[in-house]
Amino acid sequence: MKVERECKIVSKEQVGDAVYMTLEVGDMIRASFRAPGQFVHIRCGEGLLLRRPISVCSCMEDEPDDLLSIVFEVRGEGTRWLAGRELGDSLDVLGLAGNGFDLKPEGRYLLVGGGIGIPPMLGCAQYTGGRATAILGGRSRDKIILEDFFREDCAKVLCATDDGSLGHHGFVDALVRRELSEDRGYDGVLACGPKPMLRNVAKVAEEFGIPCQVSMEERMGCGVGACLVCACDMADGSRKHVCKDGPVFDSREVDWDA
Ligand SMILES: Cc1cc2nc3c(=O)[nH]c(=O)nc-3n(C[C@H](O)[C@H](O)[C@H](O)COP(=O)(O)OP(=O)(O)OC[C@H]3O[C@@H](n4cnc5c(N)ncnc54)[C@H](O)[C@@H]3O)c2cc1C
Ligand code: FES
């Protein structure tokens, strides 16, 4: 069950354009961890009414305080306020929210992260004990964050950049295609990143008949299924809440043309 905790910032560093923060979150992981891919909802500033959703990058049960790391980029007022917090400051954090990826610890998965969608895939790599392959994509080399962490926790890491400054010159879905055609042993493809990337990755996985789960990013309001701000169109014509029903969906559920 989701809990609200005052959480102390115990580490903070810059990784490329993003901020990597570790928080002491009391018993939050023990109380509410379901699977990698969940998110926390952080109150960002006194005057701002709304919390901001940030994915869990990695987390660990510990006594007396569980540890949780997040990685975020400054986009607007809320994330700017968050980036201004210092070591020892406390944050009002609600979590863990959402469903996370449906994956087996003993499974073998192809993890695909694009840009600021890279961090939650690290939790999937750690959960599956080093068996995963990670494909990390970004506009340029400096957008490929946490590569060293993925190398520690994955069997194989491949990178793609739009400008060719690191790894494959082009989009991640070309690497997904290459990997799935060379290796039929994956239990699934798990992806987080911008919607066009998710759509292309889902299409390739479907061609190969491999199950694919995607973490959708929609703007959020209440974060508890009450306001419809985060509604996502489904292939069957229904609308689901990213905050409550997601953020992770089976790729075949999503209406990619919406
Ligand atoms: C489930 C989930 C997990 C997320 N995980 C991360 C993460 O790990 N790291 C990270 O850096 N960001 C993550 N985000 C995005 C993050 O929540 C937004 O960047 C943040 O809420 C922006 O708030 P702000 O007050 O700084 O900017 P605002 O002033 O609210 O918005 C600034 C700009 O960002 C756009 N924007 C705001 N929220 C979103 C959104 N959810 N999706 C797309 N565009 C948005 C706005 O339209 C606007 O153009 C996640 C979002 C969701 C829904
Ligand atoms: S954010 Fe309000 S319903 Fe999802």
Side-chain angles (χ1 to χ4, degrees):
M1 202 193 64
K2 224 169 18 183
V3 294
E4 185 176 354
R5 296 282 180 267
E6 280 296 310
C7 300
K8 192 160 105 180
I9 301 171
V10 291
S11 85
K12 180 188 171 192
E13 61 186 287
Q14 196 74 30
V15 284
D17 291 337
V19 178
Y20 181 108
M21 249 183 207
T22 306
L23 309 174
E24 281 179 353
V25 295
D27 63 350
M28 185 179 289
I29 312 301
R30 282 165 282 167
S32 58
F33 178 83
R34 290 163 70 179
Q38 289 178 276
F39 66 94
V40 283
H41 224 186
I42 305 178
R43 188 181 296 281
C44 290
E46 302 305 318
L48 298 174
L49 281 177
L50 298 181
R51 293 171 178 273
R52 297 293 184 265
I54 303 289
S55 300
V56 176
C57 171
S58 65
C59 62
M60 192 175 84
E61 291 186 10
D62 206 357
E63 295 279 358
D65 288 300
D66 300 333
L67 292 171
L68 179 150
S69 64
I70 53 172
V71 182
F72 61 93
E73 279 182 357
V74 173
R75 290 277 164 82
E77 201 181 343
T79 43
R80 189 170 308 112
W81 180 89
L82 192 56
R85 297 312 95 201
E86 299 298 344
L87 280 187
D89 286 352
S90 282
L91 300 173
D92 177 340
V93 181
L94 189 66
L96 300 176
N99 55 2
F101 291 96
D102 181 10
L103 78 178
K104 301 187 288 270
E106 68 282 8
R108 197 166 159 264
Y109 297 92
L110 184 57
L111 312 178
V112 190
I116 201 63
I118 291 175
M121 305 322 293
L122 185 64
C124 298
Q126 292 168 340
Y127 190 73
T128 51
R131 275 178 293 278
T133 294
I135 297 180
L136 312 178
R139 284 200 302 278
S140 54
R141 164 181 219 115
D142 55 311
K143 294 289 179 191
I144 309 283
I145 51 175
L146 309 175
E147 187 189 344
D148 291 348
F149 291 83
F150 279 93
R151 294 212 179 271
E152 266 174 41
D153 285 310
C154 291
K156 187 172 174 184
V157 179
L158 302 167
C159 298
T161 48
D162 300 0
D163 66 358
S165 52
L166 181 70
H168 169 75
H169 188 170
F171 297 144
V172 288
D173 50 286
L175 290 181
V176 174
R177 180 179 298 284
R178 193 201 295 168
E179 192 58 27
L180 291 182
S181 51
E182 287 172 2
D183 186 338
R184 298 299 172 107
Y186 288 107
D187 293 305
V189 175
L190 314 178
C192 183
K195 195 169 176 186
M197 180 204 104
L198 297 180
R199 182 180 50 224
N200 292 342
V201 169
K203 197 163 159 255
V204 175
E206 196 169 324
E207 277 174 41
F208 284 86
I210 307 277
C212 178
Q213 296 171 54
V214 291
S215 181
M216 304 298 288
E217 212 199 87
E218 296 287 346
R219 213 173 154 71
M220 279 191 192
C222 68
V224 294
C227 74
L228 272 176
V229 167
C230 69
C232 175
D233 292 307
M234 296 286 119
D236 66 1
S238 66
R239 304 190 87 195
K240 286 197 174 171
H241 297 106
V242 168
C243 67
K244 190 165 66 74
D245 308 313
V248 178
F249 296 94
D250 185 312
S251 64
R252 289 163 305 182
E253 273 189 276
V254 177
D255 178 359
W256 294 107
D257 299 321

